[in-house]
Amino acid sequence: MKKFSFLIVLFSTFMQAQTSFPTYSEQWKEVEKLEIENLTKSANEKVEQIYQWAKKDQNSPQIVKTLLYLSKYAMILDENEQLNIVKRFESEIATATFPTKNLLESILANLYWQYFQQNRWRFYNRTETSEKVNPDDFRTWDLNTIFAEIQKHFEISLQTETQLQSTDLKPFEAILITGADNQKYRPSLYDFLAHQALDFYETDEKNLSKPAYKFDLDQPDYLSDYKTFATLTLTTQD
């Protein structure tokens, strides 16, 4: 059965919450117990409660964590939930504020990226279209469209750069897997989000639909009369 991956490398969906709010810690212990007993539906309902509390408290780490858990449970309860999961993140992003919005934008970009990685053959076999076949269903997009969306959401996640750089990563440790050198090399939320985007930009796969050497008509002389054009020196690997 195909699974829809949820930032397993980046986010621990099985970590016990460790925040300054004992109530959250106690509630997550209940969730952990329900998971051990394979009571997924009950665990889902409990996380929905935690989500409502987190929204009321405007607790960004807990909001993000509950959304990750709810997404995981949605896939366990219904393996065709990819679209609804993305729609929930989009809905949450529409009303979220800093820094929750930035984190959710990064997660959404990663969800698209991971879906592509699991379904490469679908995208490679599709013809590029001038517009989205179905704007509301990312599963129908062509290769260039999904890459453009991934890039867009990563860019949005890094907006308000100054605020992100002054936001310590430590309060978010309840939802992130952090290494021993994180505080030294990635001390701020900006550093963390930038590295998530960098992982995507470092891959060559996003350029597979583009020629290795592209010649651009970027000079007026290229469209001049034939005598002028004949004297031009054209340098290109294309």
Side-chain angles (χ1 to χ4, degrees):
M1 180 174 66
K2 185 177 290 185
K3 297 290 185 182
F4 192 51
S5 178
F6 295 102
L7 306 182
I8 293 177
V9 176
L10 308 178
F11 298 91
S12 174
T13 56
F14 297 98
M15 287 180 62
Q16 178 179 324
Q18 296 179 0
T19 71
S20 58
F21 299 94
T23 301
Y24 286 118
S25 179
E26 292 171 0
Q27 297 305 317
W28 283 113
K29 285 180 180 178
E30 287 190 37
V31 172
E32 183 180 2
K33 180 180 178 181
L34 291 169
E35 283 195 351
I36 292 173
E37 296 173 355
N38 291 321
L39 299 175
T40 304
K41 187 174 181 180
S42 297
N44 184 73
E45 293 172 354
K46 172 58 67 174
V47 175
E48 281 283 5
Q49 293 178 1
I50 300 174
Y51 168 79
Q52 296 300 329
W53 296 332
K55 289 284 286 186
K56 183 178 179 180
D57 292 342
Q58 296 183 342
N59 187 312
S60 181
Q62 291 295 330
I63 291 173
V64 175
K65 183 172 183 176
T66 56
L67 289 173
L68 290 171
Y69 267 79
L70 291 171
S71 298
K72 179 182 70 172
Y73 295 146
M75 282 306 304
I76 294 174
L77 297 171
D78 186 349
E79 64 177 357
N80 296 314
E81 278 290 293
Q82 294 101 324
L83 184 59
N84 290 334
I85 290 166
V86 166
K87 285 185 177 297
R88 180 157 193 172
F89 271 93
E90 290 175 336
S91 177
E92 190 69 32
I93 286 171
T95 59
T97 58
F98 177 91
T100 304
K101 176 180 173 63
N102 302 71
L103 276 165
L104 295 179
E105 290 280 6
S106 181
I107 294 172
L108 181 56
N110 271 293
L111 290 178
Y112 284 145
W113 177 230
Q114 291 175 1
Y115 180 80
F116 162 77
Q117 291 175 309
Q118 295 173 348
N119 297 273
R120 285 180 175 87
W121 64 274
R122 297 180 186 273
F123 291 95
Y124 291 154
N125 291 330
R126 287 177 185 161
T127 302
E128 183 179 353
T129 58
S130 58
E131 57 185 28
K132 296 175 183 175
V133 175
N134 184 347
D136 297 323
D137 190 347
F138 67 94
R139 298 170 300 180
T140 66
W141 297 347
D142 62 45
L143 187 63
N144 285 333
T145 298
I146 195 164
F147 281 150
E149 286 293 316
I150 294 170
Q151 181 172 326
K152 181 185 76 173
H153 289 290
F154 274 132
E155 289 178 351
I156 296 175
S157 75
L158 293 171
Q159 290 178 353
T160 61
E161 178 178 343
T162 302
Q163 284 181 278
L164 287 171
Q165 289 176 336
S166 61
T167 302
D168 192 355
L169 195 59
K170 192 171 182 61
F172 298 90
E173 289 182 351
I175 57 171
L176 307 178
I177 296 178
T178 57
D181 294 329
N182 260 65
Q183 193 62 32
K184 179 178 179 181
Y185 296 109
R186 303 182 188 180
S188 73
L189 186 55
Y190 178 83
D191 298 310
F192 176 80
L193 294 177
H195 277 84
Q196 305 316 306
L198 186 61
D199 288 342
F200 167 70
Y201 288 119
E202 283 182 334
T203 179
D204 292 331
E205 197 160 23
K206 61 182 172 41
N207 294 316
L208 286 178
S209 62
K210 301 176 182 179
Y213 303 108
K214 182 182 178 183
F215 182 80
D216 291 315
L217 293 174
D218 55 3
Q219 296 184 33
D221 285 346
Y222 292 153
L223 301 177
S224 62
D225 62 87
Y226 74 93
K227 290 183 179 180
T228 303
F229 185 80
T231 64
L232 297 179
T233 299
L234 304 180
T235 302
T236 177
Q237 293 177 284
D238 189 348

